[in-house]
Each structure stands twice: as C-alpha cells, then as structure tokens.
Amino acid sequence: MTDRHDLSNLPSYRQPRRSVFSARKIALMASVVAGLGAAVYGYGTSTSPADLFSSPAHAQVNNEVRKVERPVGFADIVERVKPSVISVKVNIKEKVASNDDGDDSSSPFQPGSPMERFFRRFGGPDGFPGLKGGRGRVVQGQGSGFFISADGFAVTNNHVVDGADKVEVTTDDGKTYTAKVIGTDQRTDLALIKVEGGSNFPFAKLADAKPRIGDWVLAVGNPFGLGGTVTAGIVSASGRDIGNGPYDDFIQIDAPVNKGNSGGPAFDTNGEVMGVNTAIYSPSGGSVGIAFSIPASTVKSVVAQLKDKGSVSRGWIGVQIQPVTSDIADSLGMKKAEGALVAEPQASGPAAKAGIESGDVITAVNGESVKDARELARTIGGMAPGATVKLNVLHKGQDKVVNLTLGQLPNTVEAKADTDKDSGKGASRGTDVPKLGMTVAPANSVAGAGKEGVVVTEVDPKSAAADRGFKEGDVILEVGGKSVSTAGEVRDAINTARTDNKNSVLMRVKSGGQSRFVAVPIAKG
C-alpha cells in the first residue's frame, strides 16, 4: 500500500485556490451573458456567437449611414424632361446625273476599265448610285430634336433636315409622326419643324439664365440611332468660335455627344434647355469630351422669327470688319486692343451713308462696349432691320458718335470686286521697300491691278511682309492712314510712323477683292 504524503506540513506549501469559476464570478458572467442576450433580442433572433458580438456594431454603422445625405443623381430631372426629346429621321432623294449619250456619269470605277463597263451596262443594286435612267437613291439621316410647345413645334439643327424630302419623328414612348419643316437658318444651324397628329406633346422650356462655367449639363438625344440616350457633364466654356460663321457663340460642354445627337437639347439642373447640341470636336469620329451647343438666347430669337415668317432677318450696317490686334492698336494709338476695325464700308451700305470710313474702329453700340469684331456682328445681327442705332467710332484718333438706320442682311454673298488674280504677273519688278522686304509698283502700271494704290510684285519669304501674309498681286491702298500710289509714298509713310515712335505701321491691303488692315512691324533707325 502506498503511503500518501501530507504536503500541508511542508514550509513552502500553500493552500490551493478555489476554482476560477467561483460562485461570485459565475454570477458576474451570467449577468453579462444576460445583458448581451437582451441586446441581441432587440436587433434579431439569431443566437450564433458571431451575431452576439457583431449585430450591435452593424446597427450602429447603419444608423450613421442614414444620417449621411445620399449623392444627388439626375433620375428625377431625366424622368421629367426626357419625354420632350424626339428622334428625327429624314429621307433625302439623290438624283443621278447622266451625260448626253445616256450613260451614267457617276460610276465609282475608273472610266474605261472593265468594271466601269460592267457597271455602266448592268447598273448597280437597287438604290445604289449610278443606276441608269436617271434613277437615284434615298439617303437616310438621323438626328435629335425637342418639343417647345404642346401643339407639336420642335427644334432641331438645320443640317439635320436640310434638303429633306420627308421628315419623321419618334417620341420617347415609341410613337412615330410625320413632320414638316417650318423654316431654317443656315447661319445659326437651327431649324423649326411641326409635328402633325397631336396637340398635347410634352415640351421643354428654353432657359432664361446664361449658364456658368462648371454648371451641370445633361445631353439627351439619339446618338448613332440608339434613341433616348442621356449623358451628363459640365459646361466647359462659353463664347466659343469654331469657324462656323460670324455669329458663333457656342457653349462648350463635356457631356458625351456623338453623331445623332445633333439638334438635341442640353438641359440644366432646373430641367430647362440651356442649348442645342450642334457640333463635336472629334479626331476619331466619336466623343472626346468636346461638344458645342447653341445658347438658348440665340435659339429663342431665331425660332421666334422662323415661327412667324419662316425665315430670319438680321440687321446690317454694310461693312467688312476685322479684329483689332495689339499691333493694330499700337499703330492706331489705342490703349487697348478692342473694338471692330472697319476694313472697308460697302458703297451703298448704311455705314458708308453715315460717314464711316476705312480705318475707323467701332467701339460701342447703343452705349454698350464692343469687345471684338465677332461681338459687333452678333450684336447688329440680333437687331431688326430698320432699327436706329448709335455707334461710337474712333475716327483718325478722335471719338465720334454716328447714328444710322440698319439695313437687312442680304441672303446672298455680296459679289466680290472683279480683280485679276494674276495682276502681279507680267509687271515690272517695281521698287524695293527694304525695311519691309517687298517690292511694289504703281497699280496703274500693272495690268488688272486697278488705278489706286501700289501692287506687290515680289515678297522676300523671310521678311516681315511675308510673316504678315503679303503675297504677289496684293494691292496696298493706304499706309499709316494715307493713300499711296508710289513706292516713295510708301517709304515716306513708314518714315513718318518711325518718327512718331510707332512700333508698326498700319496698311490697308486689297487681296482677292477683299480689303483688310495689316499691321507691319517697322525697324528702327
């Protein structure tokens, strides 16, 4: 039998502690578990260990999220404005010309080749250009537009419906209607159409306020024929000139706009049309984030005239104008390069009758300053023919006020002066103007150059004259505000400008029947 050793008598012995799960601790743990159970009961019925500890934390996070405002979207705006946008489909019949012997003259193959003979004999498939008998094809095009009134008037681009034999529109609910063209304006690329077959169309309102750079914009349209597409972006710039014409004043937006969006609206966050999408900048043919819209203010004035009489009448003062550059401003003694320089008034125009001359600078219209030549064109073009306007003009260094009555801008381009393009050919070498790098001769000594001024017979390609665009055959009419007829008078005018400490001398030049002013830098000494 083995002895049991009593360790309690040893000096180092201590009485063992009671179990860690003492009655007191058990009671404490029980109370904690009960509390957790009560918390879990308040948020769910799951009793897994994970739920016991994670559910209260999730509830706290969810409560915090509810306090944060959700990102603002465009769904409410789109739902309200999208029904006013339409898809525009046009059919244009293209006739095929035939030559005198009845053969088709529009074969895509080289004349005389086997394929050309085959094409001429058998023609192409139905609707293919080049069918014999003068038959043509029907070309289809698609664009966008939007209703501006409940009775079916809608706006689109001129280039969408130009030359169309048939116009159809499809509304947002998928219904198709026939439309007729009420009027078009090529200069602003706007058109007004009327949809037949309804009197309660949803329509959009043209905005009164001018958009600010950075404002949100929504483009709605028919890109690539898909219909009903919405894209968003911001206003990138305003007052853009893209070389479309003298009335360019486009809003630049970065909302993706593609082929087929033409004529569609650009909405602001109030659901109003800030502009009509009309052009894109695209090296590839697709959107690169640069699109241009016609401002609502322009649309209002043009559409009102199209609805009233089917065409647009614009005010006209009858002058050729050009921008005032810093060089031109310096040569005229102006402190700022602003206003519109009159290159040449038309003989029978309102400006000429009111005493405005070449070299005058129009600085204000009815007391409103004119920033540049484009702004003058837009301002005058926005006025009605027959209106009386007050022009502030800088004439030979002196300010004066001219009152005149606007004429109506002709629909056709004014005929250019009959000037021989080869006027410099066969001329004598002329006299050098060494400070400018060109040679001139009296215009009356050169066939076809006219009787006034001196004609440029030679230009040094590395000279100041070449840098300013002078070329052989140009006729210099004035230098420094004085008429010239000999090379000596040109040199004298340049010396006078140099004596007056001018950095450049202003010349009035006639080229191809058009007059313009050119500021040419002059060397000192």
Side-chain angles (χ1 to χ4, degrees):
M1 180 175 180
T2 305
D3 296 334
R4 291 183 177 180
H5 299 283
D6 185 3
L7 301 179
S8 61
N9 294 325
L10 295 178
S12 61
Y13 175 78
R14 294 181 180 179
Q15 183 69 23
R17 293 184 178 183
R18 297 180 63 182
S19 170
V20 292
F21 292 98
S22 63
R24 182 173 62 83
K25 290 185 177 180
I26 290 174
L28 180 61
M29 292 182 65
S31 65
V32 171
V33 172
L36 290 173
V40 172
Y41 180 79
Y43 291 97
T45 58
S46 175
T47 58
S48 67
D51 287 339
L52 287 176
F53 292 95
S54 64
S55 293
H58 286 168
Q60 182 179 5
V61 170
N62 289 337
N63 285 336
E64 293 298 325
V65 169
R66 290 191 187 99
K67 298 177 183 178
V68 179
E69 187 177 354
R70 290 181 299 171
V72 177
F74 303 110
D76 291 340
I77 301 173
V78 171
E79 185 178 6
R80 180 158 53 95
V81 303
K82 192 166 174 281
S84 66
V85 184
I86 57 177
S87 297
V88 181
K89 181 180 178 180
V90 300
N91 290 344
I92 302 174
K93 293 180 181 179
E94 284 192 348
K95 295 182 179 180
V96 180
S98 296
N99 46 27
D100 294 338
D101 60 5
D103 290 336
D104 172 58
S105 61
S106 60
S107 168
F109 305 108
Q110 183 177 358
S113 67
M115 287 303 297
E116 192 272 338
R117 290 194 296 270
F118 178 88
F119 183 88
R120 178 157 42 86
R121 181 178 178 183
F122 297 103
D126 186 31
F128 193 80
L131 279 178
K132 296 165 66 175
R135 294 175 60 190
R137 63 174 178 171
V138 175
V139 178
Q140 294 183 343
Q142 291 183 329
S144 305
F146 60 98
F147 288 115
I148 58 170
S149 62
D151 55 356
F153 282 100
V155 172
T156 185
N157 278 148
N158 170 68
H159 76 258
V160 171
V161 298
D162 186 30
D165 298 292
K166 182 180 180 182
V167 179
E168 290 183 343
V169 304
T170 302
T171 57
D172 189 55
D173 57 6
K175 295 181 180 179
T176 300
Y177 300 87
T178 300
K180 64 178 180 179
V181 178
I182 301 300
T184 62
D185 181 44
Q186 184 178 3
R187 289 184 171 96
T188 56
D189 196 21
L190 287 171
L192 180 67
I193 62 176
K194 178 71 164 60
V195 177
E196 306 293 341
S199 59
N200 193 28
F201 294 106
F203 62 93
K205 180 182 182 297
L206 292 167
D208 295 321
K210 183 179 180 180
R212 299 180 303 166
I213 297 174
D215 279 349
W216 282 109
V217 58
L218 298 175
V220 186
N222 182 33
F224 302 114
L226 296 173
T229 299
V230 181
T231 55
I234 63 170
V235 175
S236 304
S238 61
R240 289 299 199 206
D241 178 8
I242 62 174
N244 190 56
Y247 306 107
D248 282 9
D249 187 26
F250 291 106
I251 302 168
Q252 181 183 326
I253 64 175
D254 74 344
V257 170
N258 290 286
K259 294 179 179 179
N261 274 107
S262 291
F267 290 101
D268 60 21
T269 51
N270 294 322
E272 298 179 346
V273 178
M274 70 165 66
V276 176
N277 301 322
T278 189
I280 61 174
Y281 172 77
S282 176
S284 62
S287 173
V288 294
I290 300 178
F292 301 98
S293 299
I294 306 166
S297 57
T298 302
V299 179
K300 284 182 181 180
S301 62
V302 170
V303 166
Q305 292 195 58
L306 292 178
K307 187 175 182 180
D308 182 45
K309 53 187 178 182
S311 61
V312 177
S313 299
R314 292 183 170 86
W316 175 69
I317 59 176
V319 291
Q320 293 179 19
I321 54 176
Q322 66 182 85
V324 178
T325 64
S326 57
D327 287 340
I328 290 177
D330 176 74
S331 63
L332 292 174
M334 300 174 62
K335 295 180 179 179
K336 294 183 179 180
E338 57 186 14
L341 177 62
V342 177
E344 185 175 3
Q346 296 187 16
S348 58
K353 293 177 181 178
I356 293 178
E357 301 177 1
S358 297
D360 288 351
V361 179
I362 300 174
T363 58
V365 178
N366 291 335
E368 296 292 331
S369 298
V370 172
K371 180 181 178 182
D372 53 29
R374 262 195 325 128
E375 187 172 69
L376 176 63
R378 290 198 305 268
T379 301
I380 297 298
M383 296 180 176
T388 300
V389 297
K390 180 179 70 175
L391 304 180
N392 289 81
V393 178
L394 180 66
H395 176 74
K396 298 186 183 301
Q398 301 295 321
D399 292 319
K400 71 175 185 178
V401 176
V402 176
N403 294 302
L404 56 81
T405 300
L406 297 180
Q408 180 172 334
L409 181 68
N411 291 325
T412 58
V413 178
E414 293 294 322
K416 294 182 179 180
D418 185 13
T419 302
D420 188 353
K421 295 182 179 179
D422 298 325
S423 59
K425 294 183 179 180
S428 61
R429 183 178 180 276
T431 305
D432 287 334
V433 184
K435 298 293 183 181
L436 300 181
M438 62 181 173
T439 301
V440 297
N444 56 17
S445 67
V446 179
K451 298 180 180 179
E452 298 180 348
V454 294
V455 63
V456 177
T457 58
E458 189 176 349
V459 180
D460 182 351
K462 297 181 180 180
S463 66
D467 290 340
R468 292 302 188 273
F470 280 91
K471 62 183 182 298
E472 183 180 343
D474 286 350
V475 178
I476 301 173
L477 300 173
E478 295 179 5
V479 179
K482 297 180 180 179
S483 299
V484 294
S485 58
T486 65
E489 291 177 346
V490 173
R491 285 195 297 266
D492 291 342
I494 293 174
N495 291 331
T496 300
R498 186 180 295 111
T499 302
D500 293 338
N501 293 319
K502 296 287 184 64
N503 295 318
S504 57
V505 61
L506 195 64
M507 298 185 179
R508 185 160 72 96
V509 183
K510 193 171 186 178
S511 179
Q514 299 291 318
S515 294
R516 73 183 194 278
F517 280 92
V518 181
V520 182
I522 53 179
K524 301 295 183 181

